[in-house]
Amino acid sequence: LPAGLSQWFPALEVLDVSGTGLAELGAELLALPRLHTLLAKNNRLGGPGSLPKGLGQAPLGRSLRVLNLSGNRFAEVPPALLGLRGLQSLSLGGNRLHSIPPDIQELRSLEFLYLGGNFITSIPPELANLPSLSYLVLCDNKIQSIPPQLAQLHSLRSLSLHNNLLTYLPREILNLVHLEELSLRGNPLVVRFVRDLTYNPPSLQELAGRTIKARNVPYAPSDLPENLVRYLSLASNCPNPKCGGVYFDSCVRQIKFVDFCGKYRLPLMHYLCSPECSSPCSSASQSSTSQSESDSEDEASVAARRMQKVLLG
């Protein structure tokens, strides 16, 4: 940066030096008392001395609200940034970060945190101590689990976790009642979920067994081979109250939300005998049910479809 910057532009509020090949930000920045937005993305920052010393104690440390250092070469979150107590937006995407320091909790004013496109493997529980955090982007990393403490981020509106290594989500995440956006695509959790929803058509043996059971065709052990009698005894009734069908090996897997101790609504796997059972206009109705049961089933089907949309991003 040019010397004398603060003397030339003492009232400077926004500075964009992105894509200029900078390897360091000079001490001239420290004397800009009104600078609230600094954009320095897509440079060569990240080595020793990339940021000026005393950043947190300088006038800039009190005035800066938005800092974008994405697309640089930082291997760790610079400790100097943790002194910017007034910072509201921090972007360090597309760097070489392998971890998030626990001291990130010192940025108490932070509302937007972008750390996507790095090599982060875990999320420190201390991240939950940011009371104003509304947007958290951790996509395209190597994160394997979510700490349950993240449920303490009561201001969180958007959480991006796509393209990581997540295999499960903690139950506590249901406490994020203000969450409006949750992106999970590209994780083993979703890949497995989608694979498990694949419907394989029933075999001829199962079709015959379903017909026998659904129509109550009488038979005796002496009428059939022992293995078929045993097979017919394994029939499962379809839980859809609108359907009187059965299934053996082939079924449709859905997500059904159930109330847990009156506090949580948890997604559990729900097994139906055919894809038609998930349709409100199912023509497979062979048994009469109460209206409340029907409404409950329709609600579960709608919830299942919504859950699929969330998981698929």
Side-chain angles (χ1 to χ4, degrees):
L1 292 178
L5 184 64
S6 59
Q7 286 78 21
W8 296 343
F9 306 107
L12 194 64
E13 297 183 354
V14 178
L15 177 60
D16 188 350
V17 291
S18 301
T20 55
L22 285 176
E24 64 178 67
L25 298 175
E28 297 82 9
L29 288 174
L30 302 180
L32 294 171
R34 299 186 183 181
L35 189 68
H36 59 72
T37 300
L38 175 57
L39 310 177
K41 56 186 179 180
N42 301 327
N43 282 300
R44 295 186 291 117
L45 302 170
S50 290
L51 300 180
K53 295 181 179 180
L55 185 59
Q57 292 73 39
L60 177 64
R62 294 186 292 272
S63 65
L64 201 60
R65 297 292 180 267
V66 177
L67 178 59
N68 191 329
L69 295 173
S70 292
N72 280 285
R73 303 176 181 180
F74 290 102
E76 62 177 11
V77 176
L81 300 186
L82 303 177
L84 301 175
R85 303 303 171 86
L87 201 62
Q88 298 175 353
S89 175
L90 175 60
S91 298
L92 279 164
N95 277 275
R96 303 171 182 177
L97 306 179
H98 285 78
S99 63
I100 304 173
D103 287 343
I104 194 80
Q105 65 183 333
E106 301 299 328
L107 301 178
R108 304 283 292 177
S109 300
L110 208 59
E111 300 175 6
F112 178 92
L113 179 59
Y114 190 103
L115 298 174
N118 283 286
F119 304 95
I120 298 169
T121 57
S122 62
I123 303 173
E126 290 80 3
L127 191 64
N129 297 329
L130 297 175
S132 302
L133 193 63
S134 298
Y135 298 90
L136 178 57
V137 182
L138 295 168
C139 60
D140 299 290
N141 278 287
K142 299 182 180 298
I143 298 170
Q144 301 182 38
S145 63
I146 304 298
Q149 291 86 349
L150 223 60
Q152 300 171 19
L153 292 172
H154 301 301
S155 297
L156 201 62
R157 297 289 187 274
S158 177
L159 177 58
S160 295
L161 292 165
H162 51 271
N163 298 330
N164 275 285
L165 302 175
L166 297 172
T167 57
Y168 73 97
L169 293 178
R171 185 182 66 187
E172 288 80 2
I173 202 170
L174 296 172
N175 289 334
L176 296 173
V177 294
H178 297 295
L179 195 66
E180 299 172 356
E181 300 175 351
L182 175 60
S183 180
L184 294 169
R185 67 182 184 277
N187 282 280
L189 164 72
V190 179
V191 173
R192 185 182 61 215
F193 177 85
V194 173
R195 184 188 63 226
D196 288 347
L197 288 180
T198 301
Y199 178 68
N200 295 317
S203 64
L204 291 177
Q205 176 176 278
E206 177 156 352
L207 287 173
R210 289 186 180 200
T211 300
I212 291 173
K213 285 294 185 177
R215 298 185 179 182
N216 293 318
V217 177
Y219 65 91
S222 58
D223 298 330
L224 299 171
E226 182 180 350
N227 63 313
L228 293 182
V229 174
R230 189 183 312 112
Y231 179 78
L232 290 172
S233 68
L234 298 176
S236 299
N237 293 321
C238 183
N240 186 349
K242 291 184 177 181
C243 176
V246 298
Y247 64 89
F248 294 87
D249 303 314
S250 179
C251 61
V252 175
R253 294 167 180 168
Q254 288 188 338
I255 291 292
K256 181 177 182 180
F257 286 79
V258 297
D259 187 31
F260 182 73
C261 298
K263 188 174 182 181
Y264 304 102
R265 284 182 64 78
L266 296 179
L268 295 178
M269 198 61 90
H270 190 219
Y271 300 90
L272 301 170
C273 70
S274 73
E276 287 76 17
C277 287
S278 62
S279 171
C281 301
S282 174
S283 59
S285 177
Q286 299 182 16
S287 61
S288 60
T289 60
S290 67
Q291 185 63 41
S292 61
E293 288 178 325
S294 299
D295 292 344
S296 176
E297 184 62 33
D298 289 343
E299 179 185 359
S301 297
V302 171
R305 286 192 290 274
R306 288 177 178 170
M307 183 64 176
Q308 292 176 30
K309 290 180 180 179
V310 169
L311 289 176
L312 296 175

